[in-house]
Amino acid sequence: MLRNVYKHSAPFLPMEPITITFLGTGNAVPTKLRNHTAILIEFLNEHVLLDCGEGTQRQFKIAGISPAKLTRLLITHWHGDHVLGIPGLFQTLAMSEYQKTLDIHGPRGTQRFLHAIEELFRDFKINTRVSESEGVIVDTPEFTIEARPLPHGPPTLGYSIALKDRRHLDKAKIQKLKLPNSPLLGQLQKGKDIMVKGKKVKAKDVSYIEKGKKVVVILDTGMTDSAVQLAQDADLLICESTFSQEETEKAREYKHLTAVDAATIAKKAKVKSLILTHISQRYEHSPRIIEKEAKKIFKNTKIVKDFDVVTV
């Protein structure tokens, strides 16, 4: 399994990790080794499933992960290999007596398609909350999720999940100044200066900023500047690489990316690491062809297989 694709270099303990489990890494046709696309992203108290290809509920079982932990479902687009597992997942959640409200976000048409699923399969009921907006779709004090449109044919979104920078108090400096354990420390934590016994204590002098983390997922799309903008300065870019360089013309025809395209996006966006997924059955027994092509452009590239786990 892949581990520690990117490690903090700061001298203090890093914030909570973002853990990514690849439940499916294939493209339109599943193979013996690769299931349809599904990516589980876990951080803080969030358990986010990005896309839900056919058989995803079984992939959860094999990985030893309970789907009942899910808090969100992000859908990139409504092609079958990315969504055919939704009815089965919903049925599994209902049979598990899922108690949460599942937040679902997707491109235009998502509400209509989910309603059709509910009409077709009436033997399950779970609480859902559906949205179809673009831009920053989730903004909490700790993290944001952004959705950006990408060109692929049907309405399609790429996603960015970013943990925000955090300010930490330097305990040694706090103790040296003999600052009282009071709400004043909370002001310093927020970056505000305080007055103690007539003396000004500047927040910048007794605290430090811990850099946040950013993971971006770009699946089915044609080559576009929007992908570069979304991936800008990401710690990790997870990107489709459906075609090899010799099939560039076909990639353009079907609005997909080659391995070289994925690496070019990573390089232009100045990301730290690139992971290739959505691998075609053409490369079932020779996926290194894809990886090798990408590495010529962007060295820190890896190709994943089903059930690989990556921690950022």
Side-chain angles (χ1 to χ4, degrees):
M1 290 185 178
L2 297 175
R3 293 281 185 179
N4 299 322
V5 169
Y6 167 65
K7 294 182 179 179
H8 255 276
S9 58
F12 45 82
L13 292 176
M15 64 177 65
E16 294 86 347
I18 302 176
T19 301
I20 303 113
T21 303
F22 291 87
L23 297 174
T25 60
N27 77 331
V29 180
T31 69
K32 291 181 179 180
L33 301 177
R34 297 182 183 275
N35 203 60
H36 278 160
T37 294
I39 303 170
L40 180 65
I41 305 173
E42 299 174 281
F43 59 96
L44 301 173
N45 293 316
E46 294 287 334
H47 303 266
V48 181
L49 180 64
L50 193 144
D51 282 349
C52 186
E54 181 183 357
T56 294
Q57 59 176 328
R58 183 171 181 268
Q59 299 295 90
F60 269 106
K61 182 72 70 174
I62 295 171
I65 300 172
S66 172
K69 293 181 179 180
L70 287 178
T71 55
R72 301 178 191 273
L73 170 61
L74 305 181
I75 300 169
T76 61
H77 65 295
W78 281 84
H79 276 161
D81 56 317
H82 292 257
V83 296
L84 285 174
I86 290 177
L89 175 66
F90 282 7
Q91 187 166 17
T92 293
L93 292 178
M95 295 177 68
S96 301
E97 299 182 352
Y98 182 75
Q99 298 298 311
K100 305 182 188 74
T101 296
L102 183 63
D103 281 307
I104 304 174
H105 189 87
R108 295 188 313 276
T110 292
Q111 179 74 69
R112 175 165 53 89
F113 292 137
L114 287 173
H115 179 71
I117 289 174
E118 292 174 356
E119 286 294 306
L120 185 61
F121 301 97
R122 295 178 177 273
D123 57 341
F124 61 80
K125 288 291 181 181
I126 61 170
N127 294 322
T128 60
R129 183 166 45 232
V130 183
S131 60
E132 300 179 0
S133 58
E134 298 171 358
V136 177
I137 59 174
V138 179
D139 190 356
T140 77
E142 296 176 307
F143 71 93
T144 62
I145 300 178
E146 180 182 357
R148 186 181 288 262
L150 298 171
H152 181 53
T156 300
L157 297 173
Y159 290 96
S160 165
I161 295 176
L163 300 187
K164 295 181 177 180
D165 294 351
R166 294 183 187 177
R167 181 181 295 275
H168 296 276
L169 298 181
D170 188 314
K171 292 183 180 179
K173 292 180 178 179
I174 293 294
Q175 292 172 356
K176 184 176 181 180
L177 293 175
K178 297 181 180 180
L179 297 181
N181 186 11
S182 72
L184 289 175
L185 296 185
Q187 295 300 307
L188 292 172
Q189 183 87 48
K190 295 176 182 178
K192 297 179 180 179
D193 299 339
I194 63 172
M195 296 295 295
V196 178
K197 296 180 180 181
K199 293 184 178 181
K200 187 175 185 178
V201 178
K202 295 182 179 180
K204 68 177 183 178
D205 294 336
V206 294
S207 64
Y208 55 84
I209 299 296
E210 180 185 9
K211 182 68 176 174
K213 301 176 181 180
K214 180 178 177 181
V215 173
V216 173
V217 183
I218 294 171
L219 295 181
D220 299 21
T221 181
M223 191 61 173
T224 171
D225 288 340
S226 292
V228 176
Q229 293 162 9
L230 182 64
Q232 193 68 46
D233 299 320
D235 295 283
L236 175 63
L237 169 61
I238 300 167
C239 194
E240 71 125 316
S241 56
T242 307
F243 293 100
S244 66
Q245 189 172 10
E246 67 180 16
E247 296 178 305
T248 298
E249 186 175 333
K250 186 172 291 186
R252 299 294 179 264
E253 178 183 356
Y254 291 102
K255 294 184 179 179
H256 272 288
L257 299 177
T258 65
V260 169
D261 290 333
T264 300
I265 291 170
K267 185 175 182 178
K268 287 184 175 181
K270 298 179 180 179
V271 309
K272 293 182 174 68
S273 299
L274 170 65
I275 282 181
L276 304 179
T277 187
H278 202 266
I279 308 303
S280 171
Q281 62 176 332
R282 297 177 184 84
Y283 311 106
E284 171 83 348
H285 301 293
S286 55
R288 298 303 174 192
I289 292 174
I290 296 292
E291 186 177 66
K292 185 176 181 180
E293 288 183 354
K295 280 189 171 184
K296 289 181 180 179
I297 305 293
F298 189 81
K299 185 175 181 180
N300 195 11
T301 299
K302 293 184 182 296
I303 191 168
V304 285
K305 58 183 181 299
D306 286 16
F307 307 114
D308 275 349
V309 178
V310 172
T311 301
V312 178

